[in-house]
Amino acid sequence: MSIPLSEALKFWAKLGFISFGGPAGQIAVLHQELVEKRRWISERRFLHALNYCMLLPGPEAQQLVTYIGWLMHRSWGGILAGTLFVLPSLLILIALSWIYLTFGQVPWIAAIFFGIKPAVVAIVLHAAVRIGKRTIHNNALKWIALTSFLAIFILNLAFPIIIMIAAAIGYWGGKRYPEYFEQTLHANSKEKNYGGAIIDDNTPTPLHAQFNLQRTIRHSAIALTCWLLPIAVLITIFGWKTLYPQIAWFFTKAALLTFGGAYAVLPYVYQGAVDHFHWLSANQMIDGLALGETTPGPLIMVVAFVGYLAGHIQHLIGSSNPFWFGVLGACVATWFTFLPSFFFILVGGPLIESTHGKLGFTAPLTAITAAVVGVIANLGLFFAYHVFLPSGLGASISWISIIICGLAGLALFKFQKGVMTVLGGSALAGLLVYLITVLMG
């Protein structure tokens, strides 16, 4: 039994429009839809793919979608799945970027952002708990998660260093204490019996997902061409030291050098776009992050906002229609950010598929997943600090934000509400606070 490509594409397209909540929320949605409801892939195969994607630089949720699409329907299945996951958010962010620059900040939009930010805190913490329940099933993994949290929270240790230490612990532990690093479900899990999955634990790796040297060389050559050709065209038209080749090169480095998914990429993008290139201001970047959080698709799609503003603002004077220059900037930023992700999956996927069930490879990845839980928890606290104390320590506390976050957490943890429902309710709460303030003022 297999899923027709047309049916899979309908789901990937739908996912591109409903995947709110950042990478943690998106991975949770993917698990719920593909593992629990549709049974397209088993829990262990899903976690195996997820562990690999978390190892890679770039957006892990988009890479996971590409991986599963590739596993089910060959190379084009992966390319189409990954593209459909990104395309809606690109189009939406181009439109929002134009509205943002053309009409300025509208108070009721700011009120929506005010309501959504506390919900994001709850969503991230909820994701840490969900992933932890699925993957941390003994005290050894709990200590790894706690240590990674303390390492990044207190010592401010870089994410790649945490990953390497966790991998080393997992590699050593897998040989010395293999029972602690096996990829098994939580012993107390109350998961329902949904029946066998289409891609189950014991399903043989399909022919196209097996390692083939000629195919690897071909995919590598195609990826290199897809990088060289556009950047050569941009240099020929605009010149090397101009905006668009700079965007292409900067976001290529961002895609290749920043590990830990979207949350790890954002500080790098902020430093480069604001401090180094001065493509946009600090306040504009913060607004872009808010837009990225409240639109579907990968959180790192904020690069489209950065690219759009860079192109639009640079051509604002002396150009009759800066919109299309902004669109070009958004498309260039998106292309060079996501191209390496497709390369990593199509070239690295066959090697990863050959390792599922092999403890020598899965043990380090199990330890890495535990470490990532600690990092996500730290991110939730980082967001909470900036949302609850918007002016820093010693300033007034935003009690309204704390209340909205508490209600969002209640909806997620107790009532099992979806990410979209929580975001929508929080946005309405922000608007309600704004209306009350206006009426009372």
Side-chain angles (χ1 to χ4, degrees):
M1 180 182 176
S2 62
I3 299 297
L5 178 60
S6 58
E7 183 180 340
L9 292 181
K10 288 179 183 177
F11 172 74
W12 300 129
K14 172 190 172 185
L15 186 69
F17 283 100
I18 67 169
S19 54
F20 291 87
Q26 290 155 6
I27 290 168
V29 169
L30 276 171
H31 183 273
Q32 187 179 44
E33 288 287 338
L34 300 184
V35 177
E36 298 176 15
K37 290 184 179 179
R38 300 171 187 266
R39 302 298 290 159
W40 286 2
I41 187 168
S42 70
E43 173 96 359
R44 289 188 182 182
R45 295 289 279 265
F46 180 89
L47 289 177
H48 189 74
L50 174 59
N51 284 334
Y52 173 56
C53 295
M54 283 183 165
L55 268 178
L56 299 174
E60 65 266 35
Q62 186 266 349
Q63 289 164 340
L64 182 60
V65 167
T66 305
Y67 190 105
I68 296 173
W70 161 78
L71 193 58
M72 293 173 59
H73 295 109
R74 309 174 67 89
S75 298
W76 275 111
I79 292 170
L80 290 172
T83 301
L84 288 172
F85 187 67
V86 169
L87 191 59
S89 57
L90 172 61
L91 299 176
I92 292 169
L93 274 172
I94 286 174
L96 291 176
S97 301
W98 175 78
I99 292 170
Y100 175 82
L101 285 181
T102 305
F103 298 104
Q105 291 195 7
V106 179
W108 64 268
I109 294 179
I112 289 176
F113 289 163
F114 176 82
I116 284 175
K117 287 175 185 177
V120 171
V121 174
I123 289 168
V124 172
L125 293 174
H126 180 251
V129 172
R130 280 198 63 169
I131 295 174
K133 284 183 176 179
R134 288 204 310 270
T135 58
I136 299 177
H137 48 267
N138 58 58
N139 287 332
L141 297 178
K142 288 178 183 177
W143 276 108
I144 291 174
L146 177 61
T147 304
S148 72
F149 169 79
L150 295 175
I152 197 168
F153 183 76
I154 297 175
L155 303 178
N156 198 26
L157 204 62
F159 185 86
I161 296 175
I162 294 174
I163 289 294
M164 287 187 286
I165 293 172
I169 293 172
Y171 180 77
W172 173 80
K175 291 189 171 183
R176 190 74 181 270
Y177 306 102
E179 66 274 14
Y180 288 106
F181 294 90
E182 292 176 346
Q183 289 184 324
T184 58
L185 295 178
H186 194 287
N188 298 324
S189 175
K190 295 181 180 179
E191 183 183 359
K192 296 178 182 178
N193 182 12
Y194 295 98
I198 293 172
I199 302 176
D200 218 335
D201 293 347
N202 300 317
T203 302
T205 301
L207 188 63
H208 72 271
Q210 297 174 9
F211 179 76
N212 180 285
L213 182 59
Q214 289 183 335
R215 189 189 302 123
T216 299
I217 294 172
R218 184 169 68 250
H219 285 161
S220 301
I222 292 171
L224 184 61
T225 302
C226 289
W227 183 83
L228 282 174
L229 191 60
I231 204 167
V233 170
L234 292 173
I235 293 171
T236 302
I237 296 174
F238 299 103
W240 169 244
K241 293 186 177 181
T242 56
L243 175 65
Y244 298 108
Q246 284 181 340
I247 291 176
W249 179 237
F250 172 73
F251 284 110
T252 296
K253 290 188 293 182
L256 293 173
L257 300 179
T258 46
F259 291 82
Y263 294 125
V265 178
L266 290 175
Y268 180 84
V269 173
Y270 179 92
Q271 289 173 348
V274 177
D275 297 335
H276 182 70
F277 290 107
H278 307 293
W279 290 333
L280 67 170
S281 69
N283 286 331
Q284 287 172 331
M285 185 67 192
I286 293 170
D287 292 336
L289 293 180
L291 286 175
E293 288 281 9
T294 55
T295 51
L299 176 58
I300 196 55
M301 279 306 298
V302 70
V303 302
F305 177 85
V306 173
Y308 181 90
L309 260 65
H312 186 115
I313 292 172
Q314 187 170 102
H315 295 88
L316 200 56
I317 300 173
S319 175
S320 58
N321 192 353
F323 170 77
W324 293 109
F325 291 100
V327 170
L328 178 59
C331 292
V332 170
T334 303
W335 178 271
F336 288 94
T337 296
F338 286 94
L339 181 62
S341 295
F342 290 101
F343 168 76
F344 288 135
I345 299 304
L346 297 182
V347 172
L351 294 173
I352 300 305
E353 273 302 299
S354 67
T355 62
H356 72 82
K358 295 183 180 179
L359 188 62
F361 185 85
T362 60
L365 295 183
T366 300
I368 287 169
T369 304
V372 167
V373 171
V375 173
I376 294 175
N378 171 73
L379 183 73
L381 293 182
F382 176 81
F383 280 178
Y385 171 79
H386 286 278
V387 172
F388 301 157
L389 297 166
S391 300
L393 286 173
S396 60
I397 299 173
S398 177
W399 291 106
I400 296 174
S401 295
I402 292 176
I403 292 171
I404 294 174
C405 179
L407 292 173
L410 195 65
L412 288 165
F413 284 98
K414 184 173 179 59
F415 298 105
Q416 307 293 314
K417 296 296 182 182
V419 170
M420 284 185 66
T421 303
V422 172
L423 285 172
S426 300
L428 288 175
L431 277 174
L432 184 62
V433 170
Y434 167 69
L435 290 174
I436 292 174
T437 304
V438 170
L439 291 173
M440 293 179 63

